[in-house]
Amino acid sequence: MKARVTVTLKAGVLDPQGQAIQGSLKSLGFASVESVRQGKVFDVELGESELPRAEANLKAMCEKLLANTVVENYTIEITP
Amino acid sequence: MKARVTVTLKAGVLDPQGQAIQGSLKSLGFASVESVRQGKVFDVELGESELPRAEANLKAMCEKLLANTVVENYTIEITP
């Protein structure tokens, strides 16, 4: 089973990397860019056939390693 | 208008960071993890009201800055 975990910064958390990208886009001529926030995406393949167990496992992975839940949100999409 | 750009490594391109995460997950007890590939996500806000122009702009941003199209794929999702 495949899953995509998307980790993004919470609202209000500063994102200097995103700001740098925004600056670069502006200097490349993309004047309409109002903000850029960068996040991470993890494509995980699981050798797990039960959906609830896969979901629970992925949630635990996010809490323990993939996301820093103090400053980041995560979403999990599972493709069975 | 808001857009999410997701940049992932092409199939076949080595992903040492993903492999390191996979190793860490295994050592944390997640034995069912078969592979992990890491990518990037950009949440872009555009001050643009026309959908086709926003789309064209985002595509140009990906080609010029956000993705390295030699080794990476990108997808664009627009929320008007």
Side-chain angles (χ1 to χ4, degrees):
Chain A
M1 155 167 344
K2 286 184 184 188
R4 169 161 286 185
V5 175
T6 309
V7 177
T8 50
L9 281 173
K10 286 186 180 173
V13 177
L14 279 180
D15 181 8
Q17 204 171 352
Q19 283 168 0
I21 294 164
Q22 186 185 347
S24 302
L25 286 172
K26 287 221 162 157
S27 65
L28 280 171
F30 299 104
S32 65
V33 177
E34 285 173 353
S35 92
V36 178
R37 311 263 299 161
Q38 190 177 355
K40 285 169 279 187
V41 64
F42 303 96
D43 288 319
V44 183
E45 262 182 71
L46 283 173
E48 181 75 75
S49 52
E50 286 172 48
L51 189 64
R53 217 154 71 185
E55 243 167 9
N57 265 340
L58 285 162
K59 215 180 154 207
M61 287 177 209
C62 288
E63 297 284 339
K64 283 190 187 165
L65 185 77
L66 300 181
N68 174 358
T69 53
V70 177
V71 291
E72 291 172 328
N73 291 321
Y74 62 86
T75 57
I76 297 167
E77 296 158 77
I78 298 179
T79 328
Chain B
M1 140 166 3
K2 285 184 185 190
R4 169 162 285 184
V5 175
T6 308
V7 177
T8 50
L9 282 173
K10 286 187 180 173
V13 178
L14 279 180
D15 181 7
Q17 203 171 351
Q19 284 170 358
I21 295 164
Q22 186 185 348
S24 302
L25 286 172
K26 288 221 162 159
S27 65
L28 281 170
F30 298 105
S32 66
V33 177
E34 285 173 353
S35 92
V36 179
R37 309 262 301 162
Q38 190 176 355
K40 286 168 279 187
V41 64
F42 303 97
D43 287 319
V44 182
E45 262 182 70
L46 284 174
E48 181 75 74
S49 52
E50 285 172 49
L51 189 65
R53 216 153 71 185
E55 244 166 10
N57 265 341
L58 285 162
K59 214 178 153 209
M61 288 178 207
C62 287
E63 298 283 340
K64 282 190 188 164
L65 185 79
L66 301 181
N68 173 357
T69 53
V70 177
V71 291
E72 291 171 329
N73 290 322
Y74 62 86
T75 57
I76 298 168
E77 296 157 79
I78 298 179
T79 330

